[in-house]
Amino acid sequence: MKVTRPMLAAAGAVAVFALAGCGSGGDDKAAVPETATGSLEHLAAEVKCKPNMQTDADEIRQALCKNTDGRFVLATFATDRGQAEWLSGAKDYGGYYLVGRKWVAVGQEKTVAALQTTLGGSMEEGSEHMNPGGSHNSGGSHHG
């Protein structure tokens, strides 16, 4: 493949944004740790909650959790595909989702944001069509 000036310019721009933190101060991304991995019990221990198991099946394990940040649902999945399918259906109900590799935490926005400081992952918001004006997940009890 031949390297052209536009390609070099694009690569340079990407490097500048990466080094500068895209001009947003760069501190926001630095505060998010590497995404946690492990069993449901391991993830729950990381965020200091004792999981109340609701589903314990081969393809999904789901528990209700509560810690000083609030109440949330923690789910782990046997496969990436199973997680993607679960998220696709669950997001129709609104809520806030912290998504890691083969795990999801669901709760209020402030709770999920606090969990992210320990577990890493990416924060996503569910659909608003079930609750015009924002997500409905006020109690953290979401069934997917």
Side-chain angles (χ1 to χ4, degrees), residues 47-144:
V47 294
K48 298 176 178 44
C49 89
K50 182 177 178 187
N52 178 2
M53 293 302 292
Q54 302 297 303
T55 304
D56 193 357
D58 290 340
E59 45 299 319
I60 182 174
R61 298 184 73 222
Q62 183 171 305
L64 299 176
C65 282
K66 182 178 181 182
N67 65 13
T68 57
D69 299 316
R71 293 173 42 159
F72 56 98
V73 173
L74 186 60
T76 57
F77 304 88
T79 65
D80 293 324
R81 181 178 178 176
Q83 177 185 18
E85 290 173 357
W86 185 91
L87 270 170
S88 177
K91 283 185 170 182
D92 286 344
Y93 296 96
Y96 292 89
Y97 300 78
L98 183 61
V99 181
R101 176 93 199 286
K102 295 186 183 176
W103 61 264
V104 175
V106 185
Q108 292 182 328
E109 182 177 19
K110 68 179 181 73
T111 303
V112 172
L115 294 172
Q116 188 179 33
T117 65
T118 302
L119 297 176
S122 61
M123 195 160 132
E124 301 177 15
E125 185 175 359
S127 172
E128 293 184 17
H129 84 271
M130 292 295 286
N131 181 28
S135 293
H136 76 290
N137 198 350
S138 61
S141 57
H142 177 276
H143 303 285

